[in-house]
Amino acid sequence: GDSSVALQAQEEIIEMKDVFSVKLKRRRFAGQKKGGTLLGITVFTCLHKEENKLTDCAIHLNNLSEDHCQSWFRHLKEILNGFQNRPKSLKVFVNPSSHKREATHIYYEKVAPLFKLADIKTDVTVTEYEGHALSVLKECELQAFDGVVCVGGDGSVSEVAHGLLLRAQIDAGKDTDYVSKPVRAPIPLGVIPAGTTNILAHTLYGIKHAVTATLHIVMGHTQAVDVCTFSAPGKLLRFGFSAMLGFGARTLALAEKHRWMPSSQRKDFAFIKTLADLKPEECEISFLPLQILQEDSHDDRKKKERMKKGSKDQWQKIQGHFLNVSIMAIPCLCSMAPRGLAPNTRLNNGSMALIVVQNTSRAEFIKHLKRYTSVKNQFNFPFVETYTVREVKVQPKLKSGPDAKENVCLNAEGNYPWNIDGDLMKEASEVHVRVHPQLIDLYGVNTDDLESSQVTCNCI
């Protein structure tokens, strides 16, 4: 080109690990689908922006030689094909009912174009009812895909993750009624946020941004993540990442009864109504600590006074009246809890956070809830206790006689509601929760390891 322009140009370097597509660039007339005047090649790269955000960038390299462009195109494609962990074929589930019914729009307007650009083949199922994705995963030929993608909220993602892991047990010939040592999911799971809270997406990417999530999938970034099994005596209930009993579960149960309301209004109503009717849950909680406490601080002594040591395998037990019980294998970040619901755990450290909130006044409980929205320690209250555990057994205590009417958590069938990854599950008996290290690969990166980097590209 013009020498004066060349002198002003600043040299930029693009590494091939950041490139996800290369195309021949042609000028075509309106309606023309093939052929056209060759202009050069276009390289599509993934750029890191502020706040963990990723975006795509097109770099146009001009050259009118057909042989020259074809040679560059061929060699660049060979390099891209050498990245073995990048998916070539994906099974996609889209939940059209998520949040404001925007999942379908998000997929076809923001996600699908990037998959097409990266030459990724997709098989899309738009789910029609609860459990649809689970039934499809039980039957489909998973070996035909490099990964599974879910476009929806936490409940949708939880269903797909459960289906993927359940299918892995079936293929391995495991008894799905009792799974003590589950096998890993055979292919990674991608999460495109299209729900209300999007806890798993926030935890993986540090942000709710469909393009960022899509580019992590396209680039083949994977992160091994711990998964829990939730079991009742003699049966596996489901695979999941986090669960709540008490306030968190009753709020969800009430919201589910008012599905006719808009999403945000329904959740606000359920939150306020459950808070107004705040009542404790009598439970017996047994757990296997990750390690025995060594320090003997005032808080530790208070915990030890309430814990009854079990058998020689170091099971410990607490019982009492609790407003909320949380069991979480991941930090559970979201916009309303920027530090996470369980900030002291990690995605793949082989442990769970057990958080118990004892009975207290409504005013004190509200102070505890407000702490989640700030950077302050939400557990720094005398009525909140936290434990790092490997296994947990939760046994709600039913009242009898004149106090039976206080069983406010029970539904008509006598089951207690559980909130598992934003999905409602009802169970009457003891629930046994185990954590299984790095049981599934998720597309994304560990937000603990994210480094802020800015890349600028001047295209001439």
Side-chain angles (χ1 to χ4, degrees):
D2 191 298
S3 60
S4 62
V5 174
L7 289 172
Q8 294 172 15
Q10 182 180 355
E11 184 179 272
E12 298 287 340
I13 296 174
I14 297 296
E15 296 188 49
M16 284 304 295
K17 69 179 180 64
D18 295 323
V19 175
F20 66 89
S21 181
V22 57
K23 301 290 182 184
L24 290 170
K25 183 183 178 183
R26 298 182 184 275
R27 180 187 291 120
R28 292 182 177 135
F29 298 108
Q32 185 180 359
K33 295 183 179 180
K34 292 184 178 181
T37 305
L38 180 69
L39 300 176
I41 63 174
T42 302
V43 176
F44 296 90
T45 69
C46 175
L47 297 183
H48 296 259
K49 307 291 280 187
E50 68 283 349
E51 297 179 348
N52 307 325
K53 189 178 289 187
L54 302 182
T55 188
D56 56 301
C57 173
I59 302 171
H60 304 291
L61 306 176
N62 298 332
N63 193 297
L64 303 182
S65 166
E66 185 83 33
D67 291 341
H68 200 141
C69 287
Q70 287 288 355
S71 177
W72 271 89
F73 176 77
R74 188 168 57 252
H75 283 295
L76 290 175
K77 286 288 286 185
E78 287 175 2
I79 295 173
L80 292 183
N81 291 333
F83 293 112
Q84 297 297 323
N85 58 334
R86 294 188 181 181
K88 303 291 191 298
S89 177
L90 294 170
K91 176 63 188 174
V92 180
F93 293 97
V94 180
N95 181 2
S97 302
S98 290
H99 192 36
K100 299 177 180 178
R101 303 183 183 277
E102 59 189 7
T104 307
H105 170 79
I106 287 173
Y107 177 72
Y108 287 107
E109 296 296 323
K110 297 181 179 180
V111 179
L114 286 172
F115 285 165
K116 183 178 180 181
L117 196 59
D119 297 321
I120 297 174
K121 296 178 181 178
T122 57
D123 182 73
V124 182
T125 297
V126 179
T127 57
E128 299 174 3
Y129 53 88
E130 185 178 348
H132 188 179
L134 178 60
S135 62
V136 171
L137 282 169
K138 284 182 178 179
E139 302 296 331
C140 75
E141 299 293 332
L142 282 181
Q143 62 268 26
F145 304 104
D146 299 313
V148 175
V149 174
C150 178
V151 187
D154 291 320
S156 305
V157 174
S158 179
E159 180 185 327
V160 173
H162 172 66
L164 192 56
L165 283 162
L166 195 64
R167 174 62 185 273
Q169 311 318 306
I170 294 171
D171 289 346
K174 294 271 187 177
D175 179 4
T176 55
D177 286 333
Y178 180 76
V179 183
S180 59
K181 293 183 179 179
V183 298
R184 294 185 91 244
I187 52 178
L189 169 61
V191 180
I192 307 292
T196 306
T197 50
N198 303 288
I199 282 176
L200 200 55
H202 270 281
T203 305
L204 283 169
Y205 316 126
I207 190 173
K208 178 190 175 181
H209 190 239
V211 170
T212 295
T214 306
L215 287 172
H216 278 300
I217 296 170
V218 167
M219 301 300 287
H221 300 156
T222 57
Q223 167 70 50
V225 178
D226 300 340
V227 181
C228 303
T229 50
F230 298 88
S231 306
K235 66 173 179 177
L236 172 70
L237 298 174
R238 71 181 300 155
F239 292 93
F241 303 96
S242 64
M244 285 187 282
L245 176 73
F247 179 79
R250 277 179 276 154
T251 301
L252 178 63
L254 189 59
E256 289 296 312
K257 289 181 179 179
H258 293 79
R259 275 277 173 185
W260 53 270
M261 297 175 68
S263 177
S264 58
Q265 292 181 24
R266 178 174 72 242
K267 294 188 176 182
D268 289 345
F269 164 78
F271 181 86
I272 295 169
K273 183 73 167 63
T274 307
L275 200 56
D277 298 334
L278 190 65
K279 287 186 176 72
E281 183 102 41
E282 186 177 0
C283 289
E284 180 179 282
I285 303 172
S286 305
F287 59 91
L288 190 60
L290 191 64
Q291 59 186 11
I292 299 298
L293 294 168
Q294 299 296 324
E295 300 176 7
D296 198 25
S297 66
H298 172 71
D299 288 342
D300 290 338
R301 286 198 303 272
K302 189 173 74 170
K303 285 182 184 179
K304 288 176 182 177
E305 288 172 5
R306 299 183 64 253
M307 292 190 298
K308 300 176 183 177
K309 286 207 173 182
S311 59
K312 59 184 178 182
D313 60 1
Q314 300 173 342
W315 277 89
Q316 302 187 6
K317 186 182 297 182
I318 58 176
Q319 55 187 14
H321 293 78
F322 305 108
L323 292 176
N324 195 67
V325 177
S326 299
I327 305 166
M328 298 178 172
I330 62 174
C332 295
L333 277 67
C334 63
S335 58
M336 294 173 287
R339 291 180 68 245
L341 301 177
N344 296 327
T345 191
R346 294 292 178 265
L347 285 170
N348 57 3
N349 63 352
S351 70
M352 300 180 291
L354 170 63
I355 304 163
V356 292
V357 182
Q358 301 170 44
N359 191 21
T360 188
S361 68
R362 185 180 290 104
E364 287 297 303
F365 185 63
I366 290 173
K367 286 181 183 178
H368 162 65
L369 294 179
K370 283 184 175 180
R371 286 278 183 93
Y372 282 100
T373 64
S374 69
V375 295
K376 295 181 180 179
N377 183 358
Q378 61 263 45
F379 309 129
N380 190 23
F381 292 94
F383 53 86
V384 180
E385 295 178 4
T386 63
Y387 305 89
T388 303
V389 301
R390 286 178 286 166
E391 294 185 45
V392 182
K393 296 177 181 177
V394 181
Q395 176 67 68
K397 296 292 185 182
L398 285 172
K399 292 184 177 68
S400 58
D403 294 331
K405 63 181 181 181
E406 294 184 25
N407 289 323
V408 294
C409 229
L410 289 173
N411 66 357
E413 291 78 30
N415 297 333
Y416 283 84
W418 281 79
N419 180 342
I420 298 182
D421 299 328
D423 228 359
L424 187 64
M425 184 192 75
K426 296 170 183 176
E427 183 58 38
S429 57
E430 175 185 270
V431 173
H432 186 182
V433 187
R434 291 188 184 94
V435 65
H436 304 278
Q438 304 184 23
L439 195 59
I440 192 171
D441 288 329
L442 299 182
Y443 286 110
V445 292
N446 193 333
T447 47
D448 302 323
D449 301 330
L450 285 174
E451 295 179 357
S452 58
S453 60
Q454 182 137 359
V455 179
T456 56
C457 178
N458 297 326
C459 301
I460 298 177

